[in-house]
Amino acid sequence: DAEITQSPRHKITETGRQVTLACHQTWNHNNMFWYRQDLGHGLRLIHYSYGVQDTNKGEVSDGYSVSRSNTEDLPLTLESAASSQTSVYFCASSATTGGTNTEAFFGQGTRLTVV
Amino acid sequence: GQSLEQPSEVTAVEGAIVQINCTYQTSGFYGLSWYQQHDGGAPTFLSYNALDGLEETGRFSSFLSRSDSYGYLLLQELQMKDSASYFCAVGNQAGTALIFGKGTTLSVSS
């Protein structure tokens, strides 16, 4: 069965370190997204990609970067981790349907703690 | 930009009906989606409305009024397992990246 997986599921890192969260999907979806979820804020869009070599900034992109070298993967990098980036991170993917919303499939999340 | 408003909490008893409202502001409208998320879990898709009216899927229905920039999720015959957070979402300017509301926590008691 097709799926979307995130790794690691939990990570603790120190302030100032570079951290990369992995996201891998086997749906063959063109669209991939990264969200962060914090109490009281819901899900906020960090970065998204519509295909290979395409990346776009979302609502809260400062301090984060992504790259899309193939269809399956969209790694999220925190260039210099800050305590404000302690959060649960969700990766998602969806098929392209000509610009309309389609069902997004979410990974199980990565809980990141920056100390 | 996009913004969505939904109540933060709703409580109900088993067997009851509950309605979760969502109002939105968006520069380009590509439909309203609803997602469910149980504690510790991933959001999962419930429904999508592109046109005005009611869409029914089992115990869950979703309604949209584009002229009022308003929609709701209706949950019938509530069960304990329906206790979760529910998020409404709209597409961003390009229509494919979802922008979510802050979520409504539904607590169902016996």
Side-chain angles (χ1 to χ4, degrees):
Chain A
D1 286 347
E3 61 181 0
I4 179 166
T5 55
Q6 295 182 230
S7 61
R9 293 293 311 279
H10 302 270
K11 185 168 182 67
I12 300 174
T13 191
E14 294 178 343
T15 301
R17 289 196 180 265
Q18 184 180 79
V19 177
T20 296
L21 309 183
C23 176
H24 179 81
Q25 54 100 359
T26 58
W27 291 98
N28 199 34
H29 285 162
N30 285 326
N31 305 328
M32 295 186 72
F33 316 93
W34 275 103
Y35 293 88
R36 61 176 289 175
Q37 186 171 34
D38 306 286
L39 202 60
H41 289 280
L43 292 150
R44 290 183 290 176
L45 181 65
I46 306 172
H47 281 286
Y48 57 101
S49 168
Y50 293 146
V52 176
Q53 302 302 328
D54 175 76
T55 61
N56 305 278
K57 294 181 178 180
E59 302 169 281
V60 289
S61 60
D62 286 351
Y64 303 95
S65 64
V66 293
S67 61
R68 188 88 180 271
S69 58
N70 57 51
T71 300
E72 296 79 19
D73 299 288
L74 187 71
L76 177 71
T77 297
L78 286 70
E79 303 294 341
S80 177
S83 58
S84 60
Q85 295 177 308
T86 292
S87 185
V88 178
Y89 291 85
F90 285 100
C91 179
S93 71
S94 70
T96 299
T97 58
T100 58
N101 284 2
T102 59
E103 178 177 357
F105 296 84
F106 283 79
Q108 289 304 303
T110 295
R111 184 174 294 276
L112 177 68
T113 303
V114 183
V115 298
Chain B
Q2 291 78 24
S3 66
L4 302 100
E5 293 288 333
Q6 51 182 129
S8 58
E9 293 183 16
V10 174
T11 59
V13 296
E14 275 188 302
I17 299 172
V18 72
Q19 179 174 311
I20 299 174
N21 298 320
C22 174
T23 57
Y24 59 86
Q25 289 185 320
T26 178
S27 51
F29 184 69
Y30 298 92
L32 184 70
S33 301
W34 290 91
Y35 284 75
Q36 178 191 59
Q37 184 182 29
H38 286 99
D39 262 355
T44 56
F45 174 82
L46 287 178
S47 68
Y48 167 63
N49 295 67
L51 303 175
D52 290 353
L54 191 68
E55 296 277 346
E56 298 182 62
T57 309
R59 295 187 297 114
F60 293 3
S61 303
S62 56
F63 172 83
L64 175 67
S65 169
R66 289 176 296 171
S67 61
D68 295 321
S69 297
Y70 163 76
Y72 65 73
L73 181 69
L74 189 73
L75 298 86
Q76 303 182 74
E77 301 173 16
L78 281 174
Q79 302 175 9
M80 298 290 285
K81 67 179 181 179
D82 297 328
S83 292
S85 292
Y86 293 85
F87 296 88
C88 57
V90 294
N92 68 345
Q93 290 91 332
T96 45
L98 289 170
I99 304 299
F100 287 85
K102 294 183 179 180
T104 299
T105 300
L106 170 64
S107 299
V108 180
S109 58
S110 57

